[in-house]
Amino acid sequence: MVAWFQSELGTGLGWFVAHLLFALAIALPVMAVMAMSTWVDRKVWALMQLRKGPNVVGAFGLAQPFADGIKLFLKETIIPTGASRGVFLLAPMISFVLALVAWAVIPFDAGLVLADINVGLLYLFAVSSLGVYGIIMAGWASNSRYPFLGGLRSAAQMVSYEVSIGFILICVVLYASSFNLTEIVEAQKGAILGVFSMNILNPLLLPMAVMFFISALAETNRPPFDLPEAEAELVAGYQTEYSSMAFALLMLGEYMNILLMCALASILFLGGYLPPVDWAPLYAVPGIVWLFLKIVLVFFLFAWVKALVPRYRYDQLMRLGWKVFLPISLVWVALVSGWLVFTGHFSGGGA
Amino acid sequence: MIQAAIFYLLAGATVLAGIMVISARNPVHSVLWLIFAFVNAAGLFLVIGAEFLAMLLVIVYVGAVAVLFLFVVMMLDIDFATLRAGAMRYLPLGLLLGAALSVELLLVASAWEAGAIAPSAPPRSGLSNTQALGTLLYTDYVFVFQAAGLILLTAMVGAIVLTHRERAGVKRQDPFRQASRTPAETIALARPAVGAGVETEGGVR
């Protein structure tokens, strides 16, 4: 594709146009899926509680996300008098843009990736660690008590769980010997008994997969760790003073981050775009379909947990992060690397 | 040509952000500008092809250190007037430090120009950034690396010792005990006669 554009438009411009179109081809479907994910989230949540959920706008309420979008778009943007204007407006943009740029390194199929960089996983980790700024800036700039408390909670929570997420990622990276996401996916091909292409079936990585899922819940401020926006205590947390599109951007950024974490979990532990079983006929189904199905599965787990568990207390959350997850993941890195050296995983090439 | 343009863009943004850090009136804005400077510096690393260092800079400095920094600054109640009052008094010292730093940079740059400092050759070709750094750190420089780790450990222990206080009479929660409680331990059902009430020793056990 890039070669064709370059032959038509010249080397520099052709490269630019091709990549711009590719970026749009990722961003627009991601946003569409994200809009529908709010519907799925509410529907699953409702069904678990024997309610109907959104069912008025469109068939099965399918047009509900768009109705919500139009409603938010038509509302007035209110900026509180005491707010720090620049930071107040910058915060939703940062959180939305960061949630979107992370998709640049996600491999949708073999070779179907916008930026095939060799530190892809580190890039994702860096972008997700930047995500905290959108929230902390929103909380501070609102110049109000509830948003400030929400922002502080969220910052402390995300920084705490990032540490253990980092160690969990290292365990997977050790198996793949690479930070490149495509190589991480390819390393899972038939890795389990020569049949299954899923890291999660590896007994050494299964506990890490569970911990990654829980940390991802904490990282994206989802229930049971949604303390930054605990409605009973903080109204809506850091979003309290936001209205209209600024609020929409914050909320969309949040959902996009959830989808990103689902995609990351699929890539790291469920084999990404590979079919679950390494069997030739299954490769007839395009990789992007497999990835999509896996993302949907993980997202369903996210929605399930939301309906299932009560909210953690803040000290319990911190205890879980620092006193349980951090030591376990740290020991696990030593365990996995020890096992891999013992079995001679690194002897063939690599570094 | 494009690389030079990107370099000047990032370098200019870094310098601008640096100036804004010291001239912003609001300390939180200062920290946000500092973060902007960090991100631009990571971009500069990318321009010279050090992608691993760029990502580490973002993860460690922007994602962790600066967050905690912002955290502290946000919580502080800073009186801007007193903060500005001493500025003129500290100006000579600041200028002296700045001059010393400039001279050092100038010396290094001129030594580089004169060819006295040669960039060491990359360890092995065909290795990615990450592998090359890992190979170097864990073979040639393993003792220096371990020493750095020990220094950080000392700092960490020191910080914990300094802030740790043993206080009497603190109510603690034992999550294990909380989670392993059974209804039989905590709930007593009673069916008192009308008007008689229930005599208990302490209410909720």
Side-chain angles (χ1 to χ4, degrees):
Chain A
M1 193 177 84
V2 179
W4 184 81
F5 274 105
Q6 280 180 335
S7 70
E8 293 288 311
L9 294 167
T11 325
L13 188 66
W15 184 91
F16 183 72
V17 170
H19 281 78
L20 193 68
L21 287 178
F22 198 177
L24 277 179
I26 294 173
L28 295 179
V30 162
M31 281 197 255
V33 169
M34 182 262 309
M36 291 324 291
S37 74
T38 62
W39 177 82
V40 173
D41 194 27
R42 292 165 71 177
K43 208 73 178 168
V44 171
W45 196 14
L47 291 175
M48 299 252 176
Q49 300 176 342
L50 296 180
R51 292 185 287 117
K52 283 196 172 137
N55 66 343
V56 176
V57 192
F60 307 108
L62 268 171
Q64 185 68 44
F66 304 101
D68 287 343
I70 292 167
K71 186 193 82 172
L72 283 171
F73 189 70
L74 294 176
K75 286 200 168 184
E76 182 193 354
T77 307
I78 298 167
I79 301 176
T81 330
S84 176
R85 266 184 96 88
V87 182
F88 186 82
L89 290 176
L90 203 59
M93 297 182 205
I94 286 185
S95 92
F96 185 75
V97 168
L98 282 177
L100 204 52
V101 292
W103 289 87
V105 293
I106 300 284
F108 294 97
D109 202 344
L112 191 62
V113 50
L114 178 60
D116 195 19
I117 54 179
N118 61 20
V119 286
L121 195 58
L122 282 181
Y123 169 83
L124 268 185
F125 193 55
V127 169
S128 85
S129 70
L130 282 180
V132 65
Y133 283 108
I135 291 173
I136 199 169
M137 281 164 74
W140 178 79
S142 302
N143 197 8
S144 159
R145 282 158 192 76
Y146 294 136
F148 187 57
L149 281 174
L152 288 184
R153 279 186 180 188
S154 170
Q157 173 175 335
M158 289 170 87
V159 170
S160 309
Y161 279 84
E162 234 149 54
V163 184
S164 57
I165 284 194
F167 285 123
I168 295 167
L169 297 186
I170 290 293
C171 289
V172 179
V173 167
L174 281 172
Y175 266 94
S177 319
S178 172
F179 280 116
N180 182 306
L181 288 170
T182 310
E183 283 178 36
I184 289 175
V185 171
E186 290 296 336
Q188 297 178 47
K189 192 170 186 174
I192 314 298
L193 305 173
V195 181
F196 300 106
S197 312
M198 275 188 178
N199 263 341
I200 194 172
L201 296 175
N202 184 329
L204 269 178
L205 288 180
L206 175 65
M208 289 298 103
V210 175
M211 278 172 57
F212 180 81
F213 179 69
I214 298 172
S215 301
L217 287 174
E219 182 80 5
T220 52
N221 301 326
R222 283 285 289 192
F225 307 115
D226 60 339
L227 287 132
E229 46 198 281
E231 64 275 356
E233 346 168 351
L234 295 183
V235 192
Y238 58 90
Q239 306 169 335
T240 308
E241 302 289 347
Y242 280 89
S243 57
S244 182
M245 282 315 279
F247 171 77
L249 286 183
L250 273 179
M251 210 193 69
L252 299 185
E254 202 173 296
Y255 267 92
M256 214 129 60
N257 264 328
I258 293 168
L259 282 180
L260 184 73
M261 279 297 171
C262 295
L264 197 53
S266 317
I267 286 168
L268 293 179
F269 295 107
L270 300 178
Y273 55 76
L274 295 173
V277 179
D278 195 21
W279 183 47
L282 286 179
Y283 284 93
V285 180
I288 193 164
V289 174
W290 287 117
L291 183 66
F292 182 75
L293 287 177
K294 287 167 183 173
I295 291 177
V296 169
L297 175 75
V298 183
F299 187 80
F300 175 75
L301 289 177
F302 266 73
W304 190 3
V305 169
K306 182 179 182 175
L308 203 65
V309 284
R311 186 177 294 136
Y312 257 51
R313 231 170 38 213
Y314 202 71
D315 63 310
Q316 292 172 330
L317 172 83
M318 282 296 163
R319 180 181 164 274
L320 185 70
W322 289 108
K323 291 189 177 172
V324 181
F325 278 14
L326 182 61
I328 293 182
S329 54
L330 197 52
V331 167
W332 220 266
V333 171
L335 192 71
V336 168
S337 38
W339 172 254
L340 289 181
V341 169
F342 178 68
T343 52
H345 184 80
F346 299 123
S347 52
Chain B
M1 163 46 201
I2 291 176
Q3 197 177 6
I6 293 174
F7 169 78
Y8 283 116
L9 183 74
L10 291 170
T14 314
V15 172
L16 175 80
I19 292 170
M20 289 308 290
V21 170
I22 49 171
S23 62
R25 302 186 67 84
N26 190 325
V28 173
H29 290 178
S30 280
V31 180
L32 291 175
W33 280 111
L34 181 68
I35 291 157
F36 187 59
F38 279 148
V39 174
N40 278 302
L44 285 174
F45 270 127
L46 280 183
V47 171
I48 57 167
E51 73 269 5
F52 184 73
L53 283 180
M55 293 305 153
L56 273 200
L57 183 70
V58 174
I59 293 169
V60 176
Y61 282 92
V62 183
V65 175
V67 172
L68 298 179
F69 203 49
L70 188 62
F71 214 86
V72 173
V73 170
M74 270 166 52
M75 308 267 272
L76 291 177
D77 186 23
I78 295 170
D79 185 9
F80 301 110
T82 54
L83 209 65
R84 306 227 151 242
M88 287 313 289
R89 204 150 46 86
Y90 292 118
L91 196 63
L93 186 64
L95 283 180
L96 196 69
L97 282 176
L101 200 63
S102 316
V103 169
E104 279 173 11
L105 275 176
L106 220 67
L107 280 177
V108 173
S110 48
W112 182 282
E113 274 302 310
I117 309 170
S120 54
R124 259 190 274 168
S125 55
L127 279 182
S128 79
N129 234 303
T130 320
Q131 287 167 325
L133 267 177
T135 319
L136 265 185
L137 270 186
Y138 289 100
T139 52
D140 295 359
Y141 299 105
V142 66
F143 293 118
V144 185
F145 181 71
Q146 294 287 338
L150 276 178
I151 292 170
L152 285 176
L153 180 69
T154 319
M156 196 177 86
V157 172
I160 293 173
V161 167
L162 281 178
T163 51
H164 183 73
R165 279 186 295 170
E166 285 285 356
R167 277 171 297 184
V170 179
K171 288 186 178 173
R172 284 193 193 286
Q173 297 188 351
D174 182 359
F176 181 73
R177 201 173 65 88
Q178 287 176 345
S180 55
R181 264 177 14 150
T182 57
E185 286 176 56
T186 48
I187 300 172
L189 294 177
R191 188 170 292 170
V194 178
V198 188
E199 290 256 339
T200 57
E201 289 189 353
V204 181
R205 264 185 284 165

